[in-house]
Amino acid sequence: MTRYEAWRLPAAKKGEKGFVSAAIVLDDIVSGSLFQQIDREIGEWAEKLD
């Protein structure tokens, strides 16, 4: 894990309870962007077809 993010959705009105969401984030530098990952998977799949 390289970092985490947390946020409240939707913003709670003053004095009311809200909903907090959190995510564990792996920075793109380590594994590449989502599009790079998809492209790599498609390339590996295509090689198996040959």
Side-chain angles (χ1 to χ4, degrees):
M1 178 179 94
T2 57
R3 63 189 167 96
Y4 71 93
E5 296 176 356
W7 58 94
R8 188 188 314 198
L9 294 174
K13 294 179 182 177
K14 190 173 182 175
E16 293 184 7
K17 294 181 180 180
F19 177 79
V20 175
S21 194
I24 296 173
V25 180
L26 178 64
D27 286 324
D28 290 344
I29 296 170
V30 176
S31 63
S33 72
L34 180 58
F35 291 110
Q36 289 171 327
Q37 292 175 30
I38 292 169
D39 189 48
R40 186 171 43 250
E41 291 290 327
I42 291 172
E44 291 173 5
W45 172 76
E47 287 177 9
K48 292 178 184 178
L49 294 177
D50 290 336

